Amino acid sequence: MTSPTRREFLGGALALISAASIRLPLWAQTVASLAGAPAAGPLLLGVDYYPDQTPEALWEEDARMMADFGFTNVRIAEFAWALMEPAEGRFDFAWLRRSVEILHKHNLAVILGTPSAAPPPWLTAKYPDIVEVNEKGERLHPGGRRFTCPTNQVYRRLSLIIASEMARTFTETQGVIGWQIDNEFTLGSSQRCYCNYCQAGFQTWLRSRYGTLDNLNQSWGTVFWSQTYTDFSQIPVPLPSGGDPNPGLALDYDRYQSYANVSFQQEQLDMLRKTCPRHFVTTNNVGLVDTINMRDLYEKLDFTAFDNYPGFFDMLMAQQGRMGSSAFVSSSIALGHDLARSVKGGKPFMIMEEQSGKAGQKTFSPQPEKGQARLWTYQAIAHGAMGVNYFRWDTATFGAEEYWHGILNHDRSKSPAFDEIKQGVRELKALGREVLYSNYVTDAALVFDYDCSWALAIQPGHFRLAYLDQIVSWYGAISASRSGIDVIGPEIDLSAYKIVFAPVAYVMSEKQAARIRSFVQGGGMFVTNFRLGVKTETSQIVRTPLPGLLRDVMGVTVEDYIPVYSAKNGMKFSPALAGPDSECVLWTDILQPAGAEVLASYTMGAHAGQPAITMNSFGKGKAVYIGGDLNEASLARVLRTLSGMAGVKPPLEVPAGVEVTVRKAGNKQWIFVLNHGASSQSVNLPAAFVDLLSGEKLTGKIDIGAYGVRVLQS
Ligand code: GLA
Ligand code: ZN
């Protein structure tokens, strides 16, 4: 692997572009040429590595072993601020350069992380008010990581300085291919900051959002409880007061915190674009987090990079008393992947950190079962990933994450998953870039709207009603239909889909309502449930009967909305949705159809016999309103039946616990079949296929081993 000089590179790139009308961005061309012949895009199969935590005497051996493993790249340095700037304004990149050189010598390309998630002690000692204040108004303490205020100008300036020094130092360094800005924005113990700097930042942001105080006061309804502001400087942040904050203020504060983190990132991104035009730039985050709007975070970055820890997620769920089934874990992980892909409109994404061993800090998950580490890799690829970096190469023997296991054990012996991960890397290289850069194919979409999540968390209506829970359970139910799903924002045009699901679409803008209306009019099926269209974008309640802006599309009026506690309700289904009665344990909307057909009715209490699920014909399409919550099996059956009515077909019929997705490039198609279960499963193939992993020609009934994977092509 040799890196051309800047002039050679630019000359070569221009010639290539004009000869072949190649539209790869500059960074992708650089990386493609570094890793071999120019192709669809770079090969990113690597590992997260910590030379800063490893004796230098081992660097060479590590690089040799990583290259031998088959890795193409590493990510380094994202927490090494104290080593790179040991005192304010004094920089030392010599060690990092030595590390990059060794890695490069072994053909390992380098992704550098900017270190702003872990400011060193000299910095916090000198500038203590860069430290975040939590939602109770208490200032956090340095000593961990991710404890900083996203608005604080001193912190932003010092973060930009260290990142700029790194960028200037490494822009021409052979082997460096890209950047990860910071690390997992907002994923600290306190996910939002409530300090004075944030208050001032919020006020400035409000001024540009609302223009005038009059507009702001009207939009929030501040006349309530005598909260009319006569100067922007009077506007508080939602810290504990004698009563709950204004819902409009609270929703805007969540938006502001997301914006503050994104704009903090933007400063480093602008600098990197100028200083390192040949490098890609991304950041790493995770899917099931709603404290930052991922669409905004990744909008200007080259691609999405998410971290993926299925075993750790399983352990977290158990800690919260929510013991999940393996289907729950695998579908929650798939949801993260589908979000990662959809955040950039379907572009291939990268897993920046993939679990490779026991994972956790104080407590840890078990070692992944034999086959699972490879399975998780393929699950990401099946959902649209182009590359995977494993966390981490060796396992630290010190620090808060010494139990977060890597590919090498503490004593540097091979971890139990070593050979399996190596096998996966070899296989993915053999599969080739065409599949890694192919498109994911689906006719169905699930709307995931941060505004709804934030507004509902401010006023859930029921202590067990949470937007993310609803999204996860709807996603799980839809994925049971095996049709594939995009996870889209409310601003997306829906015409590419046959069916769109939007649970708890609590905040509804006029534009979104118009898009839904024309989608249904044009022949699509829109499926939603309780709390639809309750709130405007400034979190006021609509002044029309619910479901507000979509009442005519849904063909139903919500006469009353009722949280469920001890007085349970149930649902009985019409033949169209036939199945055992279901229980409502969370919510029941009382529905008055205006033209809609009734597909289920309530079974208990004062509203027994009244409509619970309705379907309206509107234009050429259908709109379905599910008035109460359903148990897992009923939700899966109802959503699967509706998908079938909308003409959505699974690529293959498979048993429970087996996942199927399709990726496509031109007229080539890859069908991924993944068995998340601990025992072998069989699948009937409707035609003849080749399994690209084993080379077998397959027809009829085939087996997929425990945690097994097949990649089928006809
Ligand atoms: C995260 C971070 C890493 C590391 C791993 C394991 O997601 O990005 O820095 O902490 O997980 O905890
Ligand atoms: Zn702050």
Side-chain angles (χ1 to χ4, degrees), residues 131-165:
V131 178
E132 191 171 16
V133 170
N134 70 14
E135 71 284 358
K136 293 189 191 134
E138 306 153 345
R139 196 174 285 281
L140 302 190
H141 302 276
R145 68 170 179 190
R146 185 86 283 148
F147 49 69
T148 46
C149 164
T151 310
N152 184 287
Q153 292 303 319
V154 171
Y155 169 59
R156 288 172 76 132
R157 183 171 55 78
L158 291 167
S159 297
L160 187 58
I161 289 174
I162 180 65
S164 308
E165 289 295 325

Tab-separated table of all heavy atoms in Angstrom, residues 131-165:
chain	number	residue	atom	x	y	z
A	131	VAL	N	-17.057	21.881	32.909
A	131	VAL	CA	-17.692	20.624	33.314
A	131	VAL	C	-19.220	20.788	33.320
A	131	VAL	O	-19.759	21.807	33.772
A	131	VAL	CB	-17.158	20.161	34.694
A	131	VAL	CG1	-17.862	18.883	35.147
A	131	VAL	CG2	-15.654	19.930	34.622
A	132	GLU	N	-19.856	19.770	32.833
A	132	GLU	CA	-21.308	19.734	32.635
A	132	GLU	C	-22.087	19.847	33.952
A	132	GLU	O	-21.643	19.363	34.989
A	132	GLU	CB	-21.570	18.370	31.988
A	132	GLU	CG	-22.910	18.114	31.442
A	132	GLU	CD	-22.893	16.784	30.652
A	132	GLU	OE1	-21.945	15.983	30.813
A	132	GLU	OE2	-23.825	16.570	29.892
A	133	VAL	N	-23.283	20.439	33.875
A	133	VAL	CA	-24.223	20.488	35.006
A	133	VAL	C	-25.414	19.595	34.637
A	133	VAL	O	-25.954	19.712	33.539
A	133	VAL	CB	-24.679	21.947	35.239
A	133	VAL	CG1	-25.829	22.008	36.242
A	133	VAL	CG2	-23.499	22.804	35.718
A	134	ASN	N	-25.806	18.705	35.557
A	134	ASN	CA	-26.857	17.740	35.182
A	134	ASN	C	-28.260	18.315	35.379
A	134	ASN	O	-28.425	19.482	35.763
A	134	ASN	CB	-26.655	16.404	35.924
A	134	ASN	CG	-26.956	16.522	37.422
A	134	ASN	OD1	-27.551	17.506	37.890
A	134	ASN	ND2	-26.540	15.522	38.173
A	135	GLU	N	-29.263	17.490	35.140
A	135	GLU	CA	-30.653	17.970	35.115
A	135	GLU	C	-31.171	18.347	36.498
A	135	GLU	O	-32.228	18.939	36.631
A	135	GLU	CB	-31.570	16.949	34.431
A	135	GLU	CG	-31.855	15.664	35.190
A	135	GLU	CD	-30.693	14.659	35.174
A	135	GLU	OE1	-29.650	14.929	34.528
A	135	GLU	OE2	-30.822	13.617	35.837
A	136	LYS	N	-30.380	18.027	37.536
A	136	LYS	CA	-30.767	18.482	38.879
A	136	LYS	C	-30.056	19.775	39.232
A	136	LYS	O	-30.224	20.319	40.330
A	136	LYS	CB	-30.381	17.413	39.912
A	136	LYS	CG	-31.171	16.151	39.772
A	136	LYS	CD	-30.869	15.242	40.965
A	136	LYS	CE	-31.418	13.870	40.731
A	136	LYS	NZ	-30.455	12.821	41.055
A	137	GLY	N	-29.196	20.246	38.359
A	137	GLY	CA	-28.454	21.468	38.635
A	137	GLY	C	-27.123	21.215	39.329
A	137	GLY	O	-26.455	22.154	39.753
A	138	GLU	N	-26.715	19.939	39.430
A	138	GLU	CA	-25.439	19.622	40.090
A	138	GLU	C	-24.330	19.546	39.049
A	138	GLU	O	-24.510	18.916	38.000
A	138	GLU	CB	-25.500	18.248	40.772
A	138	GLU	CG	-26.643	18.065	41.723
A	138	GLU	CD	-27.074	16.601	41.887
A	138	GLU	OE1	-26.693	15.744	41.069
A	138	GLU	OE2	-27.844	16.351	42.832
A	139	ARG	N	-23.189	20.168	39.390
A	139	ARG	CA	-22.071	20.071	38.461
A	139	ARG	C	-21.432	18.687	38.588
A	139	ARG	O	-21.244	18.182	39.695
A	139	ARG	CB	-21.031	21.169	38.758
A	139	ARG	CG	-20.050	21.366	37.605
A	139	ARG	CD	-19.116	22.544	37.836
A	139	ARG	NE	-19.751	23.847	37.654
A	139	ARG	CZ	-19.996	24.430	36.471
A	139	ARG	NH1	-19.677	23.812	35.350
A	139	ARG	NH2	-20.548	25.614	36.410
A	140	LEU	N	-21.146	18.046	37.432
A	140	LEU	CA	-20.445	16.758	37.477
A	140	LEU	C	-18.996	17.010	37.887
A	140	LEU	O	-18.609	18.154	38.114
A	140	LEU	CB	-20.462	16.066	36.117
A	140	LEU	CG	-21.808	15.753	35.475
A	140	LEU	CD1	-21.596	14.844	34.269
A	140	LEU	CD2	-22.769	15.099	36.450
A	141	HIS	N	-18.237	15.947	37.934
A	141	HIS	CA	-16.827	16.060	38.316
A	141	HIS	C	-15.964	15.456	37.230
A	141	HIS	O	-16.357	14.484	36.592
A	141	HIS	CB	-16.589	15.330	39.637
A	141	HIS	CG	-17.446	15.866	40.740
A	141	HIS	ND1	-17.106	16.967	41.486
A	141	HIS	CD2	-18.666	15.478	41.173
A	141	HIS	CE1	-18.075	17.224	42.350
A	141	HIS	NE2	-19.039	16.336	42.186
A	142	PRO	N	-14.770	16.001	37.029
A	142	PRO	CA	-13.844	15.325	36.122
A	142	PRO	C	-13.433	13.999	36.755
A	142	PRO	O	-13.672	13.778	37.946
A	142	PRO	CB	-12.646	16.270	36.030
A	142	PRO	CG	-12.945	17.444	36.892
A	142	PRO	CD	-14.205	17.205	37.649
A	143	GLY	N	-12.801	13.131	35.988
A	143	GLY	CA	-12.376	11.853	36.559
A	143	GLY	C	-12.880	10.685	35.739
A	143	GLY	O	-12.340	9.586	35.804
A	144	GLY	N	-13.925	10.913	34.984
A	144	GLY	CA	-14.405	9.896	34.040
A	144	GLY	C	-14.108	10.394	32.636
A	144	GLY	O	-13.000	10.818	32.330
A	145	ARG	N	-15.099	10.371	31.789
A	145	ARG	CA	-14.976	10.978	30.461
A	145	ARG	C	-16.335	11.553	30.109
A	145	ARG	O	-17.288	11.386	30.851
A	145	ARG	CB	-14.536	9.933	29.427
A	145	ARG	CG	-15.578	8.880	29.163
A	145	ARG	CD	-15.246	7.999	27.968
A	145	ARG	NE	-16.297	6.999	27.800
A	145	ARG	CZ	-16.221	5.972	26.972
A	145	ARG	NH1	-15.152	5.772	26.238
A	145	ARG	NH2	-17.218	5.125	26.873
A	146	ARG	N	-16.439	12.284	29.012
A	146	ARG	CA	-17.721	12.791	28.527
A	146	ARG	C	-18.450	13.575	29.624
A	146	ARG	O	-19.622	13.361	29.894
A	146	ARG	CB	-18.547	11.568	28.072
A	146	ARG	CG	-19.856	11.727	27.428
A	146	ARG	CD	-19.887	11.943	25.950
A	146	ARG	NE	-19.537	13.307	25.624
A	146	ARG	CZ	-18.911	13.680	24.527
A	146	ARG	NH1	-18.555	12.809	23.627
A	146	ARG	NH2	-18.633	14.938	24.313
A	147	PHE	N	-17.703	14.474	30.282
A	147	PHE	CA	-18.298	15.245	31.377
A	147	PHE	C	-18.326	16.739	31.040
A	147	PHE	O	-18.369	17.574	31.923
A	147	PHE	CB	-17.506	15.009	32.680
A	147	PHE	CG	-16.009	15.158	32.501
A	147	PHE	CD1	-15.439	16.392	32.241
A	147	PHE	CD2	-15.183	14.046	32.570
A	147	PHE	CE1	-14.075	16.532	32.063
A	147	PHE	CE2	-13.811	14.171	32.383
A	147	PHE	CZ	-13.253	15.425	32.128
A	148	THR	N	-18.304	17.070	29.742
A	148	THR	CA	-18.121	18.472	29.364
A	148	THR	C	-19.395	19.101	28.823
A	148	THR	O	-20.272	18.420	28.291
A	148	THR	CB	-17.043	18.563	28.275
A	148	THR	OG1	-17.329	17.561	27.311
A	148	THR	CG2	-15.667	18.340	28.856
A	149	CYS	N	-19.425	20.420	28.931
A	149	CYS	CA	-20.537	21.220	28.413
A	149	CYS	C	-20.338	21.441	26.913
A	149	CYS	O	-19.286	21.892	26.494
A	149	CYS	CB	-20.552	22.559	29.147
A	149	CYS	SG	-21.568	23.795	28.312
A	150	PRO	N	-21.365	21.151	26.090
A	150	PRO	CA	-21.185	21.318	24.640
A	150	PRO	C	-21.187	22.777	24.181
A	150	PRO	O	-20.785	23.072	23.063
A	150	PRO	CB	-22.393	20.573	24.051
A	150	PRO	CG	-23.431	20.637	25.118
A	150	PRO	CD	-22.691	20.610	26.425
A	151	THR	N	-21.632	23.686	25.061
A	151	THR	CA	-21.725	25.094	24.666
A	151	THR	C	-20.473	25.877	25.058
A	151	THR	O	-20.122	26.861	24.399
A	151	THR	CB	-22.942	25.763	25.365
A	151	THR	OG1	-24.101	24.947	25.161
A	151	THR	CG2	-23.202	27.156	24.825
A	152	ASN	N	-19.832	25.459	26.130
A	152	ASN	CA	-18.733	26.236	26.725
A	152	ASN	C	-17.657	26.600	25.698
A	152	ASN	O	-17.049	25.723	25.077
A	152	ASN	CB	-18.130	25.411	27.875
A	152	ASN	CG	-17.067	26.189	28.603
A	152	ASN	OD1	-15.977	26.380	28.086
A	152	ASN	ND2	-17.399	26.650	29.803
A	153	GLN	N	-17.422	27.912	25.544
A	153	GLN	CA	-16.515	28.385	24.486
A	153	GLN	C	-15.070	27.998	24.747
A	153	GLN	O	-14.306	27.777	23.814
A	153	GLN	CB	-16.618	29.908	24.330
A	153	GLN	CG	-17.959	30.370	23.779
A	153	GLN	CD	-18.287	29.743	22.428
A	153	GLN	OE1	-17.426	29.614	21.561
A	153	GLN	NE2	-19.538	29.321	22.251
A	154	VAL	N	-14.664	27.945	26.013
A	154	VAL	CA	-13.276	27.567	26.336
A	154	VAL	C	-13.050	26.110	25.935
A	154	VAL	O	-12.067	25.771	25.272
A	154	VAL	CB	-12.999	27.769	27.841
A	154	VAL	CG1	-11.642	27.187	28.221
A	154	VAL	CG2	-13.083	29.252	28.192
A	155	TYR	N	-13.974	25.264	26.317
A	155	TYR	CA	-13.866	23.840	25.958
A	155	TYR	C	-13.872	23.663	24.437
A	155	TYR	O	-13.081	22.899	23.872
A	155	TYR	CB	-15.023	23.062	26.600
A	155	TYR	CG	-15.172	21.655	26.097
A	155	TYR	CD1	-14.129	20.737	26.210
A	155	TYR	CD2	-16.358	21.240	25.484
A	155	TYR	CE1	-14.267	19.436	25.728
A	155	TYR	CE2	-16.499	19.947	25.003
A	155	TYR	CZ	-15.451	19.053	25.122
A	155	TYR	OH	-15.586	17.780	24.644
A	156	ARG	N	-14.737	24.415	23.766
A	156	ARG	CA	-14.821	24.295	22.306
A	156	ARG	C	-13.522	24.782	21.662
A	156	ARG	O	-13.013	24.154	20.730
A	156	ARG	CB	-16.023	25.081	21.775
A	156	ARG	CG	-17.332	24.386	22.131
A	156	ARG	CD	-18.563	25.219	21.809
A	156	ARG	NE	-18.873	25.230	20.407
A	156	ARG	CZ	-20.095	25.011	19.907
A	156	ARG	NH1	-21.123	24.765	20.700
A	156	ARG	NH2	-20.310	25.063	18.623
A	157	ARG	N	-12.976	25.871	22.212
A	157	ARG	CA	-11.741	26.411	21.635
A	157	ARG	C	-10.589	25.424	21.836
A	157	ARG	O	-9.849	25.109	20.908
A	157	ARG	CB	-11.424	27.767	22.286
A	157	ARG	CG	-10.202	28.461	21.721
A	157	ARG	CD	-10.073	29.892	22.264
A	157	ARG	NE	-10.070	29.966	23.730
A	157	ARG	CZ	-9.027	29.686	24.496
A	157	ARG	NH1	-7.883	29.311	23.958
A	157	ARG	NH2	-9.119	29.763	25.819
A	158	LEU	N	-10.466	24.907	23.054
A	158	LEU	CA	-9.354	23.984	23.334
A	158	LEU	C	-9.511	22.663	22.559
A	158	LEU	O	-8.521	22.077	22.114
A	158	LEU	CB	-9.260	23.722	24.837
A	158	LEU	CG	-8.807	24.957	25.631
A	158	LEU	CD1	-9.042	24.761	27.120
A	158	LEU	CD2	-7.341	25.270	25.375
A	159	SER	N	-10.738	22.229	22.373
A	159	SER	CA	-10.983	21.010	21.580
A	159	SER	C	-10.571	21.237	20.129
A	159	SER	O	-9.973	20.365	19.488
A	159	SER	CB	-12.466	20.629	21.609
A	159	SER	OG	-12.858	20.322	22.917
A	160	LEU	N	-10.913	22.422	19.629
A	160	LEU	CA	-10.573	22.725	18.236
A	160	LEU	C	-9.059	22.859	18.067
A	160	LEU	O	-8.498	22.429	17.057
A	160	LEU	CB	-11.295	24.009	17.801
A	160	LEU	CG	-11.178	24.363	16.326
A	160	LEU	CD1	-11.700	23.232	15.439
A	160	LEU	CD2	-11.957	25.655	16.028
A	161	ILE	N	-8.395	23.415	19.075
A	161	ILE	CA	-6.936	23.568	18.979
A	161	ILE	C	-6.255	22.203	18.903
A	161	ILE	O	-5.445	21.955	18.011
A	161	ILE	CB	-6.391	24.403	20.165
A	161	ILE	CG1	-6.821	25.866	19.996
A	161	ILE	CG2	-4.855	24.308	20.239
A	161	ILE	CD1	-6.480	26.765	21.174
A	162	ILE	N	-6.587	21.305	19.812
A	162	ILE	CA	-5.904	20.000	19.774
A	162	ILE	C	-6.252	19.261	18.474
A	162	ILE	O	-5.372	18.654	17.829
A	162	ILE	CB	-6.195	19.136	21.038
A	162	ILE	CG1	-5.472	17.792	20.986
A	162	ILE	CG2	-7.657	18.891	21.282
A	162	ILE	CD1	-3.990	17.867	21.020
A	163	ALA	N	-7.509	19.343	18.044
A	163	ALA	CA	-7.894	18.664	16.790
A	163	ALA	C	-7.150	19.283	15.604
A	163	ALA	O	-6.682	18.568	14.708
A	163	ALA	CB	-9.404	18.748	16.590
A	164	SER	N	-7.007	20.617	15.603
A	164	SER	CA	-6.311	21.292	14.483
A	164	SER	C	-4.839	20.916	14.455
A	164	SER	O	-4.265	20.698	13.385
A	164	SER	CB	-6.409	22.815	14.601
A	164	SER	OG	-7.737	23.202	14.761
A	165	GLU	N	-4.230	20.850	15.642
A	165	GLU	CA	-2.806	20.463	15.693
A	165	GLU	C	-2.636	19.046	15.160
A	165	GLU	O	-1.699	18.761	14.412
A	165	GLU	CB	-2.281	20.550	17.129
A	165	GLU	CG	-2.137	21.982	17.644
A	165	GLU	CD	-1.074	22.785	16.887
A	165	GLU	OE1	-0.050	22.205	16.481
A	165	GLU	OE2	-1.291	24.002	16.690
